[in-house]
Amino acid sequence: MLETTFSIVKPDATKRNLIGKIVSRFEEEGLCVRAMKMKQLSAQEAEGFYAEHRERPFFKDLVNFMTSGPVVLMALQGEGAVLRNREIMGATNPADAAEGTLRKLYAESIEANSVHGSDSAESAARELAYFFSGIELYNN
Ligand code: GDP
């Protein structure tokens, strides 16, 4: 099924000049960029985005990390894009991530793990709408 998922190149990766390598990988794997913008998130934006983690002990650290530099926000479209993106990213903790995944290749830690990807079609719809308006998404 053709799907659109939401992806972020996180601050640890933008700082290390890895935007192109990460976007290239998605393109090589058959995912198409349908929207893209670079943005410095405010604390409020990061807190809202990760609201489901509000009670987790690492929430404050996560918000500090996500606002520590610019991020690249993207809509990625392709067959089964939600799961495909998760496979390309690898496990949350780079120590557990499979060989060749973006997090295995690039993540610095369980927190500074270079990329975000929606975990379900429902999350993708919510996350895309959080950062993009409909007219910013291209479909052909
Ligand atoms: P994801 O879906 O693989 O991104 O993982 P989660 O939804 O569980 O966590 C969201 C983000 O919070 C992760 O991508 C990490 O950046 C961060 N994170 C997750 N677990 C931890 C943790 O145990 N400690 C810290 N400091 N950050 C974490």
Side-chain angles (χ1 to χ4, degrees):
M1 192 179 50
L2 192 64
E3 289 180 326
T4 304
T5 191
F6 178 69
S7 168
I8 305 179
V9 181
K10 293 186 178 183
D12 65 291
T14 63
K15 275 185 192 151
R16 286 177 290 144
N17 225 10
L18 293 169
I19 297 170
K21 283 202 171 73
I22 289 171
V23 175
S24 283
R25 178 65 182 280
F26 289 132
E27 292 184 336
E28 283 159 10
E29 300 272 358
L31 296 177
C32 300
V33 177
R34 294 306 193 192
M36 177 183 261
K37 58 187 165 194
M38 192 168 191
K39 194 169 198 288
Q40 170 65 54
L41 300 185
S42 66
Q44 199 180 7
E45 281 173 317
E47 284 166 10
F49 181 72
Y50 279 121
E52 64 178 312
H53 293 312
R54 197 170 286 278
E55 304 306 324
R56 308 277 282 274
F58 58 82
F59 182 69
K60 203 163 181 279
D61 286 341
L62 177 59
V63 169
N64 285 338
F65 163 62
M66 289 300 288
T67 58
S68 66
V71 295
V72 177
L73 310 167
M74 288 180 284
L76 298 176
Q77 189 177 59
E79 279 299 311
V82 172
L83 185 60
R84 192 73 203 100
N85 181 30
R86 298 285 296 187
E87 289 169 352
I88 296 165
M89 290 194 317
T92 309
N93 186 344
D96 302 329
E99 276 314 312
T101 60
L102 290 174
R103 283 167 166 172
K104 181 72 172 188
L105 288 167
Y106 302 128
E108 296 180 311
S109 67
I110 191 171
E111 177 178 86
N113 58 5
S114 304
V115 280
H116 165 85
S118 309
D119 63 5
S120 66
E122 294 70 34
S123 300
R126 178 174 49 78
E127 293 172 1
L128 285 165
Y130 190 81
F131 285 116
F132 292 109
S133 71
I135 57 163
E136 293 177 299
L137 296 171
Y138 295 89
N139 265 305
N140 47 29

